[in-house]
Each structure stands twice: as structure tokens, then as C-alpha cells.
Amino acid sequence: LSLSTVFPVWQGGGVASRAGAWGQGWGQVGGQVPVFDYPVWCVLCQGGRARLREACRRGRGALRLPADMLSIKLPQLFDIHQVPKVFREDGIISGYRHPQSSALDCILSSFQMTNETVNIWTHFLPTWYFLWRFCVLCYTQNFLSESYTWPLLVYMLLICVYPFTSSCAHTFSTMSPAARHICYFFDYGALSLYSLGCAITYGSYVMPDCWVNSWLHQHFVPIAICNTLNFSPSIFLIRFLELQFPHRSKILRTGAFVFPFIFDNIPLFYRLLLCCGGSCCHSEALSSHCYHLLFAFLTCFLFASHLPERLAPGRFDYFGHSHQLFHICAVVGTHFQMEAVLADMTSRRTWLITQAAVPSFLGTLGALALGVILNLGIIGTFSAPLLWNSHHSASHPLTPPSKHKQQ
């Protein structure tokens, strides 16, 4: 075994022999351009790095790329006193984007360090993780014809949708005050659908054995649809009260999130109580459920407390503020929830198929479709006045923030 069979060999004669080609600058012997018949690693070790840089320089000159393609100007950032109150966040002093950013500026800002950059990526990247898990399940589960898997299908769709919607909301929320409200309307709508998907999945796979076919089991999904119908308008109205009553609106918004979460987890809470009383055996599903509840509690705590930036305003503007930590805890909690649902679905499959009613199209995909229609209608109802006011106030544009930052 020779070195020439292990390392690639550069046969440079065909290109280097042309006048003015890549061979210029590599050195000539006897008026002829040499042919390199030895491994590339030898060229790089024996002064080849300088020659390679020279070749790259000649290549860049030959391509003649326009300078404006290589110099993209990132948007300017502002301090808290330079942006309207609707864009301000508690404890965040700097790193704000222009309140009338273009769509391109919003996209570019996701590659710039702002106080929203980590918020964008902590939900955009997990979207692809959940999408990959969903694609794997599409190969291992028969979603088309096996109705037992339809609750899982609904759940997997929604855990891909809600982080992606959140990432888009954080990206484009600085285009205007109206756009900020509308972006978060879609964000809250996706969370409302996610809550509905959890109810569909828990009602099918997590319901305690003694509750199967009970009144609550039969009406679990319809009640969850009613929760969705109440959640979205409530949380949308609370957004408009945020400037006038910031503390009250925070309490109301937290409560609006907590109520559907508690309802969705009623079957799980009862199963955990039975296990604490020694009426059930330890399982992988219950362990994952407990981890999910732990991260759900951390998510709620971070969302409501605004820690740690409340203790040290300005210190966590770019890294480590509560919304970033809240995103991370939410995603990790969703991961454990997904693992728990898969474990329950697999371990209880035989018993549930024989004892419980088979999940129906109307109670799974039909309920999801109804939830989507209701949420889109509610979002349209609340967005239309904002768009109308924004259109009629175009003659009085928002005064752009000063470009002089406070020293």
C-alpha cells in the first residue's frame, strides 16, 4: 500500500499548461509548468499554503463578484428609551430593533445579536427536531389507515407548528405596532391549538383505566374545544390592557395559559395520585410525564417572574433573560411530553383497543380542523381593526427612534 493510494493525487498538467491559468505563480522549471504527481498533503506541507492562497486570490479576481453582494449592512439597534412603550420588555435595556423594520431587516436581525435573536433560534431549531421525529414516526406508524394513531398524528403536527409560529412571531414583531399584535395573535393561536392537541392525545392514551368510557372521557375533547374558544379571545384582549395595567394583565395572561394546561393534565394528575397511593407500578411513561411537569412548572415560573433580568436590568439583554429560558424549558418539556405520549401509546395499546372506543376522525382530525377554523376566525376578528387603523393612520407615521443612544 503506497501513499499515492491513500492520499489524493493532483494531476495538474491539463489546467496548468494553459497560458495565464492557475499554474501562474506556482513556479516554472525550464520554461515549463511542472505536473504535480505527488500527494496534495506534500504540496501543503512544503510551502503549498502560500501558493494555495495565491490561487484563491486569483480565483476571486477572476469571478469579479460585486462588492455589494459581500457587504450586507445589518439593521441598527436601539435602547429602551428610543422605542415606543409597546415594544419594551421589563428588565431589557438595549438590543431593540427599529419599530418599523422591513421584512428583510427582520430576517437579517435573526443573524444579528439582538435581544430577540436567541428567542428566535430557541424555537426555530427545535421545530426541525420535532419535524424529524415526526418524519420517523411516519415510517413506523400507519397514520393513513390506523385510527388508533390519529391522536398522535394531531399531536405531532401541533408540536411542529407551535415553535415555528413562535419563531416567526419573534422575527417579524417589529414591523409595526399592529404587526406586533398580529404576530403574537398567531403565536397564541398556535399555543391554543397545541393545548387542544394535548387534550386529544391525553384523552386517547393517558386517561386512567378507571376513567375510560366515563362521562369525562367521552366529553374531554369537546370541553377542550370550548377552552380553545375561550382562551384565544381572552388572551388577545389582555394584550390590549398591557400598557395600562401591566401587572394585572400579566396575572390574567398567566392564568389564561395555566387553566387549559391544568384541564389537559387532569387525567395525568389522577394517575400520579394513584401511584403515590401505591395503586400503580412505575413505568417509563410516568417518569417522562414527571419531567414534563417539572419543565412546565419552570416555564410558568420564568414567564411570570421575569427573572433574572428583573434583579439586574441590562445584564441579561442578549443572553440569559427569562423569555429565552422560558423557551428552552418549554421545548425540553415538550420533548419529555412526546416521549411520555409515545410510551403510553405503545404500552397501553392492546388494553385501550379492547376496552375503549377507537379514536374517531371527528374526535381527532375533525376537532383539529374545527380548532384551526375557530382560531383563524378569532385572529381575523381581532386583526381587522388593527389593520384598518394602521391603514388610516398612514398619514401620521410613527416617529422613528433617535439614532443617538444615551451615553
Side-chain angles (χ1 to χ4, degrees):
L1 181 64
S2 63
L3 286 175
S4 61
T5 61
V6 176
F7 297 96
V9 175
W10 188 331
Q11 297 287 351
V15 176
S17 60
R18 300 175 187 172
W22 293 93
Q24 292 183 352
W26 286 76
Q28 297 185 0
V29 180
Q32 296 180 353
V33 179
V35 176
F36 299 104
D37 289 331
Y38 38 88
V40 171
W41 70 274
C42 290
V43 176
L44 297 179
C45 291
Q46 299 175 7
R49 292 185 179 181
R51 296 173 179 175
L52 186 59
R53 284 196 295 268
E54 175 66 16
C56 292
R57 186 187 65 80
R58 293 177 180 274
R60 286 194 296 269
L63 292 175
R64 300 182 183 278
L65 293 175
D68 56 353
M69 290 181 61
L70 302 177
S71 58
I72 299 176
K73 186 177 180 180
L74 294 175
Q76 183 182 359
L77 301 181
F78 303 94
D79 290 337
I80 189 170
H81 68 278
Q82 296 175 299
V83 297
K85 288 185 178 180
V86 69
F87 294 93
R88 299 177 185 177
E89 299 290 344
D90 292 340
I92 306 299
I93 306 301
S94 61
Y96 290 92
R97 298 173 291 175
H98 196 286
Q100 288 183 332
S101 302
S102 65
L104 178 60
D105 286 342
C106 291
I107 295 174
L108 290 177
S109 70
S110 64
F111 300 96
Q112 178 187 17
M113 186 45 62
T114 71
N115 57 30
E116 287 280 20
T117 303
V118 178
N119 291 334
I120 294 170
W121 289 99
T122 49
H123 268 178
F124 182 74
L125 294 178
T127 299
W128 296 99
Y129 166 72
F130 292 129
L131 189 61
W132 168 69
R133 294 295 301 267
F134 182 35
C135 292
V136 172
L137 287 172
C138 287
Y139 283 100
T140 58
Q141 304 290 334
N142 189 2
F143 287 126
L144 292 178
S145 59
E146 192 173 1
S147 61
Y148 180 76
T149 63
W150 288 347
L152 179 64
L153 173 61
V154 171
Y155 175 79
M156 294 304 299
L157 286 172
L158 294 176
I159 66 171
C160 293
V161 167
Y162 96 77
F164 179 74
T165 307
S166 172
S167 178
C168 291
H170 283 283
T171 301
F172 297 104
S173 62
T174 56
M175 295 183 67
S176 69
R180 182 177 181 83
H181 285 301
I182 294 172
C183 283
Y184 287 112
F185 288 167
F186 278 97
D187 186 14
Y188 298 153
L191 289 175
S192 175
L193 292 175
Y194 165 67
S195 174
L196 176 60
C198 292
I200 294 172
T201 307
Y202 279 31
S204 299
Y205 305 138
V206 185
M207 193 67 64
D209 295 351
C210 57
W211 285 6
V212 171
N213 297 322
S214 65
W215 182 91
L216 179 63
H217 188 200
Q218 295 172 356
H219 296 84
F220 198 68
V221 174
I223 296 174
I225 295 175
C226 294
N227 289 340
T228 299
L229 188 59
N230 293 326
F231 169 85
S232 296
S234 302
I235 202 73
F236 293 175
L237 286 172
I238 292 170
R239 277 200 64 85
F240 295 117
L241 303 175
E242 191 171 12
L243 293 180
Q244 291 82 2
F245 310 101
H247 298 293
R248 294 180 183 177
S249 65
K250 192 68 176 182
I251 295 172
L252 292 174
R253 194 192 307 181
T254 304
F257 283 118
V258 169
F259 177 78
F261 171 81
I262 292 177
F263 174 80
D264 292 345
N265 285 273
I266 287 176
L268 176 60
F269 292 151
Y270 188 75
R271 283 180 62 184
L272 293 176
L273 286 175
L274 291 178
C275 289
C276 291
S279 301
C280 74
C281 59
H282 177 78
S283 65
E284 179 185 355
L286 287 178
S287 297
S288 297
H289 279 304
C290 290
Y291 283 120
H292 163 240
L293 293 177
L294 171 63
F295 281 99
F297 171 78
L298 292 175
T299 300
C300 180
F301 172 78
L302 292 167
F303 177 79
S305 65
H306 285 283
L307 294 175
E309 68 270 14
R310 174 176 288 181
L311 300 178
R315 295 292 182 90
F316 302 94
D317 291 352
Y318 299 96
F319 292 103
H321 63 74
S322 61
H323 206 93
Q324 298 170 358
L325 302 177
F326 146 68
H327 273 202
I328 294 171
C329 289
V331 167
V332 175
T334 303
H335 163 75
F336 283 114
Q337 184 186 45
M338 176 186 63
E339 296 294 344
V341 166
L342 290 172
D344 268 333
M345 174 192 171
T346 303
S347 62
R348 307 181 69 198
R349 184 187 190 104
T350 303
W351 189 90
L352 288 173
I353 289 177
T354 57
Q355 300 295 325
V358 178
S360 64
F361 181 86
L362 185 61
T364 54
L365 295 172
L368 173 61
L370 179 60
V372 171
I373 294 171
L374 290 175
N375 275 278
L376 288 178
I378 295 170
I379 291 171
T381 302
F382 280 85
S383 299
L386 293 173
L387 294 174
W388 189 87
N389 292 334
S390 178
H391 175 72
H392 283 76
S393 62
S395 57
H396 304 284
L398 182 68
T399 303
S402 171
K403 294 186 179 181
H404 301 286
K405 294 189 176 183
Q406 187 179 27
Q407 297 297 326

